[in-house]
Amino acid sequence: MTPATQAAHFINNRWTAPASGATLPVVDPSDGDIFAYLARGNAADIEAAVRAARTAHDGGDGPWGRFSAVERGRLMMKLAQAVVDHAEELALLECRDTGKPLAQARADTASFARYFEYYAGACDKLHGETLPYQRGYTVMTLRCAHGVTGHIIPWNYPMQIFGRSVGAALAAGNACVVKPAEDACLSLLKFAELAAAAGLPPGALNIVTGFGHEAGAALAAHPDIDHISFTGSPATGSVVAQAAAANHRPVTLELGGKSPQLVFADADLEAAIPVLVAAIIQNAGQTCSAGSRVLVEEAVHDEVVQRLAAAFAALRVGPGQADLDCGPVINARQRARVQGYIDQARAEGLQVAGTGTLAAAAPQSGFYVLPTVFANVPPAHRLAQEEVFGPVLATAPFTDEADAVRLANGTPYGLVAGLWTRDGARQLRMARKLHAGQVFINNYGAGGGVELPFGGVKHSGYGREKGFEALLGFTSLKTVAIRHD
Ligand code: ADP
Ligand code: MG
């Protein structure tokens, strides 16, 4: 009864055949082979999952809704432990499903467990306040679970993004319906089984697999969902938000970026270079918060480009299981898209400073793209403006602090910014001026930081995930005013 072979949804703690009977193949990006099948969910499956979740919550009277905060915390700690106990199995599944190097999949698994651990400890620290009001009154606020929350998850970090979203939603007392990505979600099906075995009541967590335009669209538009959280592309984010708006339901959107890493001439380059490279190469550049632009003060631009070129030349690309520096991208469509950016920029005469190499063992049928760094990319160029979602880095020089801020903020996105400088006053000035949800100074935190609120501005989305802040988004505030005199 392994989820990888049975092509079923997980509803009410049971493997449930898709209403349509249809399945869809799961492809290994490292060699292009089909190795499993998923249930192809539709509106009827979503309906069953929402009903299960509603019954589990039932306004605080259902089997999950009745859990006290302390009991939820204890159970969530068991979920964290279940991930730890099955860490290698989960990491191997994630590695095969997404193509990411095994070390990355293991790190993702550790973060996955951390989300449940963090939110386990937070369950009984989430509370309202008492407010001063007129004489003779006591007024309090209650932090109430929304009820049923919908979660649409992408394929780049299935476990991490499920952990940060579903972990926080469960901790706040919601019952969840999850539509993971059609390209990668086997680790999540495995987790659902582990969660049920650990004692999560039926209906608290339901997973419906399938395509976005079928199962995903049905979830976003469902009138009995109280909140939707979505991570994915800006275009799909708009569609999801519009569907939820028809029901006046709140939405959290995390939509990607074109995040800059700024390097001033006084920076510790020895420390910066490996971090600059990792920020774009991690997960083959398929990271919302990838540091995909490196903006360098003129005096050191050429030196930084040379060092980046040397670092890129040392990068080896190959199958996830070979655990090299960079795996394949997720699918053939994504490979064509990313390679298209590279080919077009080359054809236009943009300067290729360096590329990685493909390992001899990499199957021809895998979806590989060589990491590529382009130097002196004009600020208006596609590579400086658009999210490539692949291992492609664009550098550009800046003249001074004002120019750096202008370039850094000069894209439609605003997710993360990195800053390398030893000047403390500049660190503080820039931290305030950079238009982003997170600013990392003398480090870069793509994907990291369970404890750190994360989210964007502009086309990077709105709402905050991770940290304690995320819990607030998974509740609604109720004000209770009592007159006693
Ligand atoms: P990609 O095109 O790379 O798959 P998306 O942003 O479209 O990126 O996908 C992110 C998630 O959103 C996936 O789980 C996908 O199935 C889902 N999705 C795609 N289209 C829709 C839609 N119209 N409504 C709801 N969810 C969708
Ligand atoms: Mg896959």
Side-chain angles (χ1 to χ4, degrees), residues 17 23 54 79 107 110-111 126 131 150 157 188 217 220 251 262 278 288 326 388:
T23 61
R54 183 59 67 191
L79 304 188
S111 288
L126 178 65
L131 309 177
Y157 292 89
L188 306 184
V251 176
L262 298 125
C288 313
C326 186
V388 175

Side-chain angles (χ1 to χ4, degrees), residues 26 95 302 341 380 385 389 397 400 420 429:
V26 181
C95 169
D302 292 352
Y341 273 98
Q385 291 291 322
F389 228 56
D400 58 14
W420 293 85
R429 278 192 302 274

Side-chain angles (χ1 to χ4, degrees), residues 152-155 179-183 210-220 230-237 239-240 330-331 333-334 389:
I152 299 175
I153 312 283
W155 43 258
K179 208 302 281 177
E182 54 272 34
D183 282 294
F211 289 121
H213 64 280
E214 295 174 348
L219 180 58
F230 171 84
T231 301
S233 60
T236 306
V239 171
V240 166
I330 189 72
N331 57 31
R333 186 173 58 107
Q334 187 66 12
F389 228 56

Side-chain angles (χ1 to χ4, degrees), residues 68 83 99 136 176 225 243 326 328 371 374 404 424:
S68 70
V83 172
C176 302
I225 289 282
C326 186
F374 287 94

Side-chain angles (χ1 to χ4, degrees), residues 26-29 35 96-98 182-184 330:
V26 181
V27 174
D28 180 343
F35 71 100
R96 184 150 197 212
D97 210 0
T98 64
E182 54 272 34
D183 282 294
I330 189 72

Side-chain angles (χ1 to χ4, degrees), residues 336-361:
R337 196 175 159 273
V338 175
Q339 194 60 51
Y341 273 98
I342 295 173
D343 294 345
Q344 190 195 6
R346 276 181 180 274
E348 289 168 1
L350 238 64
Q351 179 197 342
V352 176
T355 68
T357 52
L358 191 61

Side-chain angles (χ1 to χ4, degrees), residues 76 115 119 162-174 467 470-471 474:
M76 298 231 358
Y115 278 110
Y119 287 116
F162 177 100
R164 78 185 188 202
S165 176
V166 173
L170 287 174
N174 300 283
L471 283 177
F474 283 113

Side-chain angles (χ1 to χ4, degrees), residues 254 256-257 259 279 287-292 387 389 415-416 438 444-447 454:
E254 201 270 271
S259 298
T287 305
C288 313
S289 51
S292 52
E387 185 176 48
F389 228 56
L415 191 55
V416 173
Q438 288 186 328
Y444 196 85
F454 174 72

